[in-house]
Coordinates of all heavy atoms in Angstrom, one line a residue:
M1 N 23.2 28.9 15.8 CA 22.4 28.0 14.8 C 22.4 28.8 13.5 O 22.8 28.4 12.5 CB 21.0 27.8 15.4 CG 20.2 26.9 14.5 SD 20.6 25.2 14.6 CE 20.4 24.8 16.3
S2 N 21.7 30.0 13.6 CA 21.7 30.8 12.3 C 21.4 32.2 12.8 O 21.0 32.5 13.9 CB 20.7 30.3 11.4 OG 19.4 30.9 11.6
D3 N 21.6 33.2 11.9 CA 21.3 34.6 12.2 C 19.9 35.0 11.7 O 19.5 36.1 11.7 CB 22.3 35.5 11.7 CG 22.5 35.4 10.2 OD1 21.7 34.7 9.5 OD2 23.4 36.1 9.6
H4 N 19.1 34.0 11.4 CA 17.7 34.3 10.9 C 16.9 34.8 12.1 O 17.1 34.3 13.2 CB 17.0 33.0 10.4 CG 15.7 33.3 9.7 ND1 14.6 33.5 10.4 CD2 15.4 33.4 8.4 CE1 13.6 33.7 9.6 NE2 14.1 33.6 8.3
P5 N 16.2 35.9 11.9 CA 15.5 36.6 13.0 C 14.5 35.7 13.8 O 14.2 35.9 14.9 CB 14.7 37.8 12.4 CG 14.7 37.5 10.9 CD 15.9 36.6 10.6
I6 N 14.0 34.7 13.1 CA 13.0 33.8 13.7 C 13.6 32.5 14.3 O 13.2 32.0 15.3 CB 11.8 33.5 12.8 CG1 11.1 34.7 12.3 CG2 10.8 32.5 13.4 CD1 10.5 35.6 13.5
G7 N 14.6 32.0 13.6 CA 15.3 30.8 14.1 C 15.9 30.0 13.0 O 17.0 29.5 13.1
G8 N 15.2 30.0 11.9 CA 15.8 29.4 10.7 C 15.8 27.9 10.6 O 16.5 27.3 9.8
E9 N 15.1 27.2 11.6 CA 15.1 25.8 11.5 C 14.4 25.3 10.3 O 13.3 25.8 9.9 CB 14.4 25.2 12.7 CG 15.2 25.3 14.0 CD 16.5 24.5 14.0 OE1 16.5 23.4 13.3 OE2 17.4 24.9 14.7
Y10 N 14.9 24.2 9.7 CA 14.2 23.6 8.6 C 13.4 22.4 9.0 O 13.8 21.7 9.9 CB 15.2 23.2 7.5 CG 15.8 24.3 6.7 CD1 16.9 25.0 7.1 CD2 15.2 24.7 5.5 CE1 17.4 26.0 6.4 CE2 15.7 25.7 4.8 CZ 16.8 26.4 5.2 OH 17.3 27.4 4.5
I11 N 12.3 22.2 8.4 CA 11.5 21.0 8.6 C 11.4 20.3 7.3 O 11.5 20.9 6.2 CB 10.1 21.2 9.2 CG1 9.2 22.0 8.2 CG2 10.2 22.0 10.5 CD1 7.8 21.8 8.5
V12 N 11.2 19.0 7.4 CA 11.0 18.2 6.1 C 9.7 17.5 6.2 O 9.4 16.9 7.2 CB 12.1 17.2 6.0 CG1 11.9 16.3 4.7 CG2 13.5 17.9 6.0
V13 N 8.9 17.6 5.2 CA 7.6 16.9 5.1 C 7.6 16.0 3.9 O 7.9 16.4 2.8 CB 6.4 17.9 4.9 CG1 5.1 17.1 4.9 CG2 6.4 18.9 6.1
K14 N 7.4 14.7 4.1 CA 7.3 13.7 3.0 C 5.9 13.2 2.9 O 5.3 12.8 3.9 CB 8.3 12.6 3.3 CG 8.2 11.5 2.2 CD 9.2 10.4 2.5 CE 9.1 9.3 1.5 NZ 9.9 8.2 1.9
A15 N 5.3 13.3 1.7 CA 4.0 12.9 1.5 C 3.9 11.4 1.4 O 4.7 10.8 0.6 CB 3.4 13.5 0.2
L16 N 3.0 10.7 2.1 CA 2.9 9.3 2.0 C 1.7 8.9 1.2 O 1.4 7.7 1.0 CB 2.7 8.7 3.5 CG 3.9 9.0 4.4 CD1 3.5 8.5 5.8 CD2 5.2 8.5 3.9
E17 N 1.0 9.9 0.7 CA -0.2 9.6 -0.2 C -0.3 10.8 -1.2 O 0.3 11.9 -0.9 CB -1.5 9.4 0.5 CG -1.9 10.6 1.3 CD -3.2 10.4 2.0 OE1 -3.8 9.3 2.0 OE2 -3.7 11.4 2.7
N18 N -1.1 10.7 -2.2 CA -1.3 11.8 -3.1 C -2.2 12.8 -2.5 O -3.1 12.5 -1.6 CB -2.0 11.3 -4.4 CG -1.0 10.4 -5.3 OD1 0.2 10.6 -5.2 ND2 -1.6 9.5 -6.1
G19 N -2.1 14.0 -2.9 CA -3.0 15.1 -2.5 C -2.8 15.6 -1.1 O -3.8 16.2 -0.5
V20 N -1.6 15.5 -0.6 CA -1.4 16.1 0.7 C -1.3 17.6 0.6 O -0.8 18.2 -0.4 CB 0.0 15.6 1.3 CG1 0.5 16.4 2.4 CG2 -0.1 14.1 1.7
T21 N -1.9 18.3 1.6 CA -1.8 19.8 1.5 C -1.1 20.3 2.7 O -1.3 19.9 3.9 CB -3.3 20.4 1.6 OG1 -4.0 19.8 0.5 CG2 -3.2 21.9 1.3
I22 N -0.2 21.3 2.5 CA 0.5 22.0 3.6 C 0.1 23.4 3.5 O 0.2 24.0 2.4 CB 2.1 21.9 3.4 CG1 2.5 20.4 3.3 CG2 2.8 22.6 4.5 CD1 4.0 20.2 3.0
I23 N -0.4 23.9 4.6 CA -0.9 25.3 4.6 C -0.1 26.1 5.6 O 0.1 25.7 6.8 CB -2.4 25.3 5.1 CG1 -3.2 24.4 4.1 CG2 -2.9 26.7 5.2 CD1 -4.6 24.0 4.7
G24 N 0.4 27.3 5.2 CA 1.1 28.2 6.0 C 0.2 29.1 6.7 O -0.7 29.7 6.1
L25 N 0.4 29.3 8.1 CA -0.4 30.2 8.9 C 0.4 31.4 9.3 O 1.6 31.3 9.7 CB -0.9 29.4 10.1 CG -1.7 28.2 9.9 CD1 -2.1 27.5 11.2 CD2 -3.0 28.5 9.1
T26 N -0.2 32.5 9.3 CA 0.5 33.8 9.5 C 1.0 33.9 11.0 O 0.3 33.5 11.9 CB -0.3 35.0 9.2 OG1 -1.6 34.9 9.9 CG2 -0.7 35.1 7.7
R27 N 2.1 34.6 11.1 CA 2.7 34.9 12.4 C 2.0 36.1 13.0 O 1.6 37.0 12.2 CB 4.2 35.1 12.3 CG 4.8 35.4 13.7 CD 6.3 35.5 13.6 NE 6.9 34.3 13.1 CZ 7.2 33.2 13.9 NH1 6.8 33.2 15.1 NH2 7.7 32.1 13.4
G28 N 1.8 36.2 14.3 CA 1.2 37.5 14.9 C -0.2 37.2 15.4 O -0.6 36.1 15.6
R29 N -0.8 38.3 15.7 CA -2.1 38.3 16.4 C -3.2 37.5 15.5 O -3.9 36.7 16.1 CB -2.6 39.7 16.6 CG -4.0 39.8 17.3 CD -4.6 41.2 17.2 NE -3.8 42.1 18.0 CZ -4.1 42.5 19.2 NH1 -5.1 41.9 19.9 NH2 -3.4 43.4 19.8
D30 N -3.2 37.8 14.2 CA -4.1 37.1 13.4 C -3.5 35.7 12.9 O -2.3 35.6 12.8 CB -4.4 37.9 12.1 CG -5.2 39.1 12.4 OD1 -5.8 39.2 13.4 OD2 -5.1 40.0 11.5
T31 N -4.4 34.8 12.8 CA -3.9 33.5 12.3 C -4.7 33.2 11.0 O -5.9 32.9 11.1 CB -4.2 32.3 13.3 OG1 -3.4 32.7 14.5 CG2 -3.7 31.0 12.8
K32 N -4.1 33.4 9.9 CA -4.8 33.3 8.6 C -3.9 32.3 7.7 O -2.7 32.2 7.8 CB -4.9 34.6 7.9 CG -5.8 35.6 8.6 CD -5.9 36.8 7.8 CE -6.9 37.8 8.4 NZ -6.7 39.2 8.0
F33 N -4.6 31.7 6.8 CA -3.9 30.9 5.8 C -3.3 31.9 4.8 O -3.9 32.8 4.4 CB -4.9 30.0 4.9 CG -5.6 28.9 5.7 CD1 -5.4 28.7 7.1 CD2 -6.3 27.9 5.0 CE1 -6.0 27.7 7.7 CE2 -6.9 26.9 5.7 CZ -6.8 26.7 7.0
H34 N -2.0 31.7 4.5 CA -1.5 32.6 3.5 C -0.8 31.9 2.3 O -0.5 32.5 1.3 CB -0.5 33.6 4.1 CG 0.8 33.0 4.6 ND1 1.8 32.6 3.8 CD2 1.2 32.6 5.8 CE1 2.8 32.1 4.5 NE2 2.4 32.0 5.7
H35 N -0.7 30.6 2.4 CA -0.1 29.8 1.3 C -0.4 28.4 1.5 O -0.5 27.9 2.6 CB 1.5 30.0 1.4 CG 2.2 29.4 0.2 ND1 2.2 30.0 -1.0 CD2 2.8 28.2 0.1 CE1 2.9 29.2 -1.8 NE2 3.2 28.1 -1.2
S36 N -0.6 27.7 0.3 CA -0.8 26.2 0.5 C 0.0 25.6 -0.7 O 0.2 26.1 -1.7 CB -2.2 25.8 0.4 OG -2.8 26.0 -0.9
E37 N 0.5 24.4 -0.4 CA 1.2 23.6 -1.3 C 0.6 22.2 -1.3 O 0.3 21.6 -0.3 CB 2.7 23.4 -0.8 CG 3.6 24.6 -1.0 CD 4.0 24.9 -2.4 OE1 4.0 24.0 -3.2 OE2 4.2 26.1 -2.7
K38 N 0.5 21.6 -2.5 CA 0.1 20.2 -2.7 C 1.3 19.3 -2.9 O 2.1 19.7 -3.8 CB -0.9 20.1 -3.9 CG -2.2 20.8 -3.7 CD -3.2 19.8 -3.1 CE -4.6 20.4 -3.0 NZ -5.5 19.7 -2.0
L39 N 1.3 18.2 -2.3 CA 2.3 17.2 -2.5 C 1.7 15.9 -2.9 O 0.7 15.5 -2.3 CB 3.2 17.0 -1.3 CG 4.0 18.1 -0.6 CD1 4.8 17.5 0.5 CD2 4.9 18.8 -1.7
D40 N 2.3 15.2 -3.9 CA 1.9 13.9 -4.2 C 2.8 12.9 -3.5 O 3.9 13.2 -3.1 CB 1.8 13.7 -5.7 CG 0.5 14.3 -6.3 OD1 -0.5 14.4 -5.5 OD2 0.6 14.7 -7.4
K41 N 2.4 11.6 -3.5 CA 3.1 10.6 -2.8 C 4.6 10.6 -3.2 O 4.9 10.6 -4.4 CB 2.5 9.2 -3.1 CG 3.1 8.1 -2.4 CD 2.3 6.8 -2.5 CE 2.9 5.7 -1.7 NZ 2.1 4.5 -1.7
G42 N 5.4 10.6 -2.2 CA 6.9 10.5 -2.4 C 7.5 11.9 -2.5 O 8.7 12.0 -2.5
E43 N 6.7 12.9 -2.7 CA 7.3 14.3 -2.8 C 7.7 14.8 -1.5 O 7.0 14.4 -0.5 CB 6.3 15.2 -3.5 CG 6.1 14.9 -5.0 CD 5.2 16.0 -5.7 OE1 4.2 16.4 -5.1 OE2 5.6 16.3 -6.8
I44 N 8.7 15.5 -1.4 CA 9.3 16.1 -0.2 C 9.4 17.6 -0.2 O 9.7 18.1 -1.3 CB 10.7 15.5 0.0 CG1 10.6 14.0 0.3 CG2 11.5 16.2 1.1 CD1 12.0 13.3 0.4
M45 N 9.0 18.2 0.8 CA 9.1 19.7 0.9 C 10.1 20.0 2.1 O 9.9 19.4 3.2 CB 7.8 20.3 1.1 CG 7.9 21.8 1.1 SD 6.3 22.5 0.7 CE 6.7 24.2 0.9
V46 N 11.0 20.8 1.9 CA 11.9 21.3 2.9 C 11.5 22.8 3.1 O 11.4 23.6 2.2 CB 13.4 21.2 2.5 CG1 14.3 21.7 3.6 CG2 13.7 19.8 2.1
A47 N 11.2 23.2 4.4 CA 10.6 24.5 4.6 C 11.2 25.1 5.9 O 11.7 24.4 6.8 CB 9.1 24.4 4.7
Q48 N 11.1 26.4 6.0 CA 11.6 27.1 7.2 C 10.4 28.0 7.7 O 9.7 28.6 7.0 CB 12.6 28.1 6.7 CG 13.9 28.1 7.4 CD 14.9 29.0 6.7 OE1 14.7 29.5 5.6 NE2 16.0 29.2 7.3
F49 N 10.4 28.1 9.0 CA 9.5 29.1 9.6 C 10.1 30.5 9.6 O 11.3 30.6 9.7 CB 9.1 28.7 11.1 CG 8.3 27.5 11.2 CD1 8.9 26.2 11.4 CD2 6.9 27.5 11.0 CE1 8.1 25.1 11.4 CE2 6.2 26.4 11.1 CZ 6.7 25.2 11.3
T50 N 9.3 31.5 9.3 CA 9.8 32.8 9.0 C 9.1 33.9 9.8 O 8.1 33.5 10.5 CB 9.7 33.1 7.5 OG1 8.3 33.3 7.2 CG2 10.4 32.1 6.6
E51 N 9.4 35.1 9.5 CA 8.6 36.2 10.1 C 7.2 36.2 9.6 O 6.3 36.8 10.2 CB 9.3 37.6 9.9 CG 9.6 37.9 8.4 CD 10.9 37.4 8.0 OE1 11.3 36.2 8.2 OE2 11.6 38.2 7.3
H52 N 6.9 35.5 8.5 CA 5.5 35.5 7.9 C 4.8 34.3 8.4 O 3.6 34.3 8.4 CB 5.6 35.6 6.4 CG 6.3 36.8 5.9 ND1 5.8 38.0 6.1 CD2 7.5 36.9 5.2 CE1 6.7 38.9 5.5 NE2 7.7 38.2 5.0
T53 N 5.5 33.2 8.6 CA 4.8 31.9 8.9 C 5.3 31.4 10.2 O 6.5 31.2 10.5 CB 5.2 30.9 7.8 OG1 5.0 31.4 6.5 CG2 4.5 29.5 8.0
S54 N 4.3 31.2 11.1 CA 4.7 30.7 12.5 C 4.2 29.3 12.7 O 4.5 28.6 13.7 CB 4.2 31.6 13.6 OG 2.8 31.5 13.7
A55 N 3.3 28.8 11.9 CA 2.7 27.5 12.0 C 2.3 26.9 10.7 O 2.1 27.7 9.7 CB 1.5 27.5 13.0
I56 N 2.2 25.6 10.6 CA 1.7 25.0 9.4 C 0.6 24.0 9.8 O 0.7 23.5 10.9 CB 2.8 24.4 8.5 CG1 3.5 23.2 9.2 CG2 3.8 25.4 8.0 CD1 4.4 22.4 8.3
K57 N -0.3 23.8 8.8 CA -1.3 22.7 9.0 C -1.1 21.8 7.8 O -0.9 22.2 6.7 CB -2.7 23.4 9.0 CG -3.8 22.4 9.0 CD -5.1 23.2 9.1 CE -6.3 22.2 9.0 NZ -7.6 22.9 9.3
I58 N -1.2 20.5 8.2 CA -0.9 19.5 7.1 C -2.2 18.6 7.1 O -2.6 18.0 8.1 CB 0.3 18.7 7.4 CG1 1.5 19.6 7.5 CG2 0.5 17.6 6.4 CD1 2.8 18.8 8.0
R59 N -2.7 18.4 5.9 CA -3.8 17.5 5.6 C -3.3 16.3 4.8 O -2.7 16.5 3.8 CB -4.9 18.2 4.8 CG -5.6 19.3 5.5 CD -6.9 19.6 4.8 NE -7.6 20.7 5.5 CZ -7.9 21.9 5.0 NH1 -7.7 22.1 3.7 NH2 -8.5 22.8 5.7
G60 N -3.5 15.2 5.3 CA -3.1 14.0 4.6 C -2.0 13.2 5.4 O -1.6 13.6 6.4
R61 N -1.6 12.1 4.8 CA -0.7 11.2 5.5 C 0.7 11.7 5.1 O 1.1 11.7 3.9 CB -0.9 9.7 5.1 CG -2.2 9.2 5.6 CD -2.3 7.7 5.3 NE -1.1 7.0 5.7 CZ -0.3 6.2 4.9 NH1 -0.7 6.0 3.7 NH2 0.7 5.6 5.4
V62 N 1.5 12.0 6.1 CA 2.9 12.5 5.9 C 3.8 11.9 7.0 O 3.4 11.4 8.0 CB 2.9 14.0 6.0 CG1 2.1 14.6 4.9 CG2 2.5 14.5 7.4
E63 N 5.1 12.1 6.7 CA 6.1 12.0 7.7 C 6.7 13.3 7.8 O 7.1 14.0 6.8 CB 7.1 10.9 7.3 CG 8.1 10.5 8.3 CD 8.8 9.3 7.9 OE1 8.4 8.2 8.2 OE2 9.9 9.4 7.3
V64 N 6.9 13.8 9.1 CA 7.5 15.1 9.3 C 8.8 15.0 10.1 O 8.8 14.3 11.2 CB 6.5 16.1 10.1 CG1 7.1 17.4 10.3 CG2 5.2 16.2 9.3
L65 N 9.8 15.6 9.6 CA 11.1 15.6 10.4 C 11.4 17.0 10.9 O 11.3 17.9 10.1 CB 12.3 15.2 9.5 CG 12.2 13.8 8.8 CD1 13.5 13.6 8.0 CD2 12.0 12.7 9.7
T66 N 11.7 17.1 12.2 CA 12.1 18.4 12.7 C 13.3 18.1 13.7 O 13.6 17.0 13.9 CB 11.0 19.1 13.5 OG1 10.8 18.4 14.8 CG2 9.7 19.1 12.8
K67 N 13.8 19.2 14.2 CA 14.9 18.9 15.2 C 14.4 18.2 16.4 O 15.2 17.7 17.2 CB 15.6 20.3 15.5 CG 14.8 21.2 16.4 CD 15.6 22.4 16.8 CE 14.8 23.3 17.7 NZ 15.5 24.5 18.1
N68 N 13.1 18.3 16.6 CA 12.5 17.6 17.8 C 12.3 16.1 17.6 O 11.9 15.4 18.5 CB 11.2 18.3 18.2 CG 11.4 19.8 18.5 OD1 12.2 20.1 19.3 ND2 10.6 20.6 17.8
G69 N 12.4 15.7 16.3 CA 12.2 14.3 16.1 C 11.4 14.1 14.8 O 11.2 15.0 14.0
K70 N 10.9 12.9 14.7 CA 10.2 12.4 13.5 C 8.8 12.0 13.9 O 8.6 11.3 14.9 CB 10.9 11.3 12.9 CG 10.2 10.6 11.7 CD 11.2 9.8 10.9 CE 11.3 8.3 11.4 NZ 12.1 7.5 10.5
I71 N 7.8 12.4 13.1 CA 6.4 12.0 13.4 C 5.7 11.7 12.1 O 5.9 12.3 11.1 CB 5.6 13.1 14.2 CG1 4.3 12.6 14.7 CG2 5.4 14.4 13.4 CD1 3.7 13.4 15.8
R72 N 4.8 10.7 12.2 CA 4.0 10.3 11.1 C 2.6 10.5 11.4 O 2.1 10.2 12.5 CB 4.2 8.8 10.9 CG 4.3 8.2 9.6 CD 4.6 6.8 9.7 NE 5.8 6.5 8.9 CZ 5.7 5.8 7.7 NH1 4.5 5.4 7.2 NH2 6.8 5.6 7.0
S73 N 1.8 11.1 10.5 CA 0.4 11.2 10.8 C -0.3 9.9 10.7 O 0.2 9.0 10.0 CB -0.3 12.2 9.9 OG -0.1 11.9 8.5
D74 N -1.4 9.7 11.4 CA -2.1 8.4 11.4 C -2.8 8.2 10.1 O -3.0 9.1 9.3 CB -3.2 8.4 12.5 CG -2.6 8.3 13.9 OD1 -1.4 7.8 14.0 OD2 -3.2 8.8 14.8
D75 N -3.1 7.0 9.8 CA -3.8 6.6 8.5 C -5.2 7.0 8.5 O -5.8 7.2 9.6 CB -3.7 5.1 8.4 CG -2.3 4.6 8.3 OD1 -1.4 5.4 8.0 OD2 -2.1 3.4 8.4
Ligands
LIG101 N1 -0.8 33.7 14.5 C1 -0.4 32.6 15.4 C2 0.9 33.0 16.1 O1 1.8 33.7 15.5 C3 -0.3 31.4 14.7 C4 0.0 30.2 15.5 C5 1.2 29.8 16.0 C6 -1.0 29.2 15.9 N2 1.0 28.6 16.7 C7 -0.3 28.3 16.7 C8 -2.3 29.0 15.7 C9 -0.9 27.2 17.3 C10 -3.0 28.0 16.3 C11 -2.3 27.1 17.1 O2 1.1 32.7 17.3

């Protein structure tokens, strides 16, 4: 797939409303917020999980594409 140490999969998040927030959570024993991004309706973010980020939290209505499939948050 790739030689990235973590995996290198990309995910795609599309905002379905204004003011969506994507928050990056740290990898490892501690789980802390380390970055956040705001998206407005129609904006798309393409992102990768890395040695620094093992999870993300999304607030707001979005569509998320991953290799596992496509999911839409509820209204
Ligand atoms: N620091 C945690 C870890 O690296 C972050 C994390 C990953 C997490 N998956 C999670 C936190 C699921 C809550 C729920 O494992």
Side-chain angles (χ1 to χ4, degrees):
M1 184 74 60
S2 88
D3 59 3
H4 191 280
I6 300 300
E9 286 296 332
Y10 284 89
I11 67 157
V12 178
V13 181
K14 178 180 176 184
L16 302 177
E17 65 180 0
N18 290 334
V20 165
T21 308
I22 304 173
I23 300 162
L25 302 176
T26 55
R27 183 175 299 281
R29 182 194 292 266
D30 293 339
T31 302
K32 293 184 176 160
F33 290 10
H34 69 80
H35 185 80
S36 74
E37 285 287 331
K38 288 270 187 202
L39 299 186
D40 283 331
K41 186 171 183 175
E43 290 185 320
I44 290 173
M45 185 158 176
V46 181
Q48 231 175 353
F49 291 96
T50 66
E51 55 270 49
H52 303 295
T53 306
S54 70
I56 62 171
K57 174 174 176 172
I58 301 173
R59 293 195 179 121
R61 291 185 52 233
V62 296
E63 190 167 273
V64 181
L65 306 181
T66 74
K67 70 173 182 183
N68 302 307
K70 173 163 88 171
I71 189 164
R72 215 174 235 257
S73 55
D74 288 336
D75 297 342

